[in-house]
Amino acid sequence: MATMAAMPTSPHRYEAQDLEADGELVSDDGSGSAESSGSTSADEVAKAETSAYLHPDDSMHQHWYETTTRLRCVFYVFFSLAVMMAIAMGTTTEIFFSLMATPPGKGLTFGVVVAVVFVPLFLLATAVYVDECVDVGLDAADRPCFGLWRATITTAAKCINPKICTDHVEKFLVALIEGLPIIFAIVTISMSSSLTYWYKDLFRGYCLGGLVFALLVCLMYIICHIFVGHNPERDELMACTYHNMRPLGKFKRVIKCPQNPEGGSEPHWGRCVMYFFIGVVLEVLVLLIFVIFHQFHCVFIGQLLATVFWALAVRNYAPRLLGKAFWFTFVFFILLTVGLLVGTLAQTNAAPEASIEEDEFTHKKSLPPLAFGPDTPEYQSTEDFNGLPLSLTFSPWAPLPGYPVCKTLWGFPGDANENSLTILDLAVLAFASSFRDTFGIRNGLGRMLNGTALGDWQLLEVEDGRTVGRWVVIALPKMKLRVISVRGTSNVQDAFADLKLYSSVAVLQFMAILTPVLSLMPVSVTRRLVNSHLTNTLFGNKAIWDRLQHAAARHKKEARDKGEILLMTGHSLGGALVGAVSSVIKVDGIGFSPPGLYYQVLKYSGTLQGLYDSFTVIQPSNDVVPRVDKQRGMIEWIDCDTPPATCHRLTHTACELWVKCGDARKRSWRQTCSEWYSKSDVNVPQAEL
């Protein structure tokens, strides 16, 4: 009696192995062996070969648990990859821009040193995570599911305890796959306060558990792969274990070992050390360049070169640890950093300071006012200005009803309407913080307010123009009002400050275009991720709004002692700071084109309820800046069909409000608004023009 020992190799390797029992092929009749009295005929061999295969449909149903696990785990792993990459890239860019936002001349501080070293190291760690996580994701989709992961973990664990086998690791893996999502789902729904949408919290909790599972398996794989990959014998044992792995859920032990383990190449320690020290030298040069010259491109290029040399050091230690994903991550960081910087610097071109020109009366270079009061020489200009009227008040018979915010008034409760501020008044006051110095502010305010009911104004405080989010305080005694105006992004340092505050959430929103990062992750988790405790500790980012908050609280008390109330207004970054501070000290705040505060609310120590109670947002439809984060408060959309940079300009926003709603103060806006509007755009019956 002969036994068939040689079988053809099946493309479904483990399916063929499952048909073997102690070296005997399971026959078609279930007898467990194939017998013949003599030599095996060709027909019998063909029949035996056919019986070694399963139909694909039967294969999927026979291993149903592995099939369903592959679907879930691929989603978990690549979801976690998107989240971790967004967090890592956001943190890296935030640290980098926090470094660049450090004022020149501050010297070599602890935060600067940590930031210079941190950026290339974290970028390299992110590249390693991305490369290895992609391998884990592909391994989760492979057959057998998580075969490489199980083989790597088992090989590494055997060095600690030789009794650990593949079935032990497999049981641990299945417990993680099934247990963590259920645990997180139960905890999330138990903490949920929503009775109507409880199922959303349940699903988000389940996905969060899957995210934590994927994060754990990826980190375990990275650690064990580093330990196994640089040792040729362990690497060969891992490969042999992988090629004999059974389907997930069968819990079958792999005991085969390589018969003749091949010795691989040892790590190139000399090259590894050489590349590491080249990277260290580059980092020292970056520190010197930053302290002496404070140049963005020198610091940026130096850190990128240090990252490349440290990556080469890692490649010479563990050749399989970094692959093509490193270059993908590297290029993605470059594009992300440059893109964020270019986009933010475009805001400085949209800032009022970009409009500085020579005044025709004083012949000095200054910022032209947003509008001109009736008592100014420019008010009676004879130029045509595209046929725009000298002054414009809203008509009851206008073709359009105008924006609702144009009918909103801010002022002391109980006073008459003429003693309240309109949205255009607040736009003028927000513009005032953009003038260069105290003289420019006084001159600009006089030209914009004199001849109106706001002509009796007082300039109480002017913050240093070098301060990020610089503010000015204006009192209107007859109206019982005091207004804090906060400047927006106006120079390169402001742009860096803007980026260090919002780069993390901007990267998360970018990744949300590709994967449902923000919709599936609980909002509370997202807020904690963008809270920026690290950069706050290193660079004192909180001082950007903390000083403004203390000044606003002081002026609120002083105003109350005089029987006045406090308002706050600002544009762009200044508008975001107004929203954050006004919601904390509980005064009305009006922001023109500010970035959102929904995910950032914990960073500013505020609450959503505070934004609901106090903050008003003016958001042009084609302006991209207010789309960073999410807005909360009263949001007034206004039309804008010009390029995004133009839509972000406070001048364009004020002109859109003027042509639709008019100005009860009868100021002249023709000089500013004729750049974009003409007579046909004005929201009044043409017969009245």
Side-chain angles (χ1 to χ4, degrees), residues 249-322:
K250 294 293 184 181
F251 305 113
K252 292 186 178 180
R253 183 173 299 182
V254 176
I255 58 175
K256 293 186 178 181
C257 298
Q259 298 295 328
N260 298 308
E262 299 178 1
S265 58
E266 295 288 340
H268 297 284
W269 290 105
R271 295 179 188 173
C272 178
V273 173
M274 178 185 70
Y275 288 133
F276 174 78
F277 277 107
I278 291 176
V280 171
V281 171
L282 285 171
E283 286 291 86
V284 173
L285 291 175
V286 167
L287 277 173
L288 294 176
I289 291 171
F290 177 81
V291 173
I292 298 173
F293 301 106
H294 205 83
Q295 292 293 324
F296 164 79
H297 59 277
C298 295
V299 175
F300 188 57
I301 293 173
Q303 292 196 313
L304 292 178
L305 289 174
T307 305
V308 170
F309 279 105
W310 282 345
L312 292 174
V314 172
R315 285 286 297 272
N316 280 275
Y317 173 76
R320 300 180 188 274
L321 196 60
L322 282 176

Side-chain angles (χ1 to χ4, degrees), residues 386-416:
N386 293 335
L388 292 174
L390 176 63
S391 63
L392 176 64
T393 56
F394 185 72
S395 171
W397 298 277
L400 299 173
Y403 298 113
V405 75
C406 294
K407 305 175 185 69
T408 304
L409 299 174
W410 289 264
F412 196 90
D415 275 10

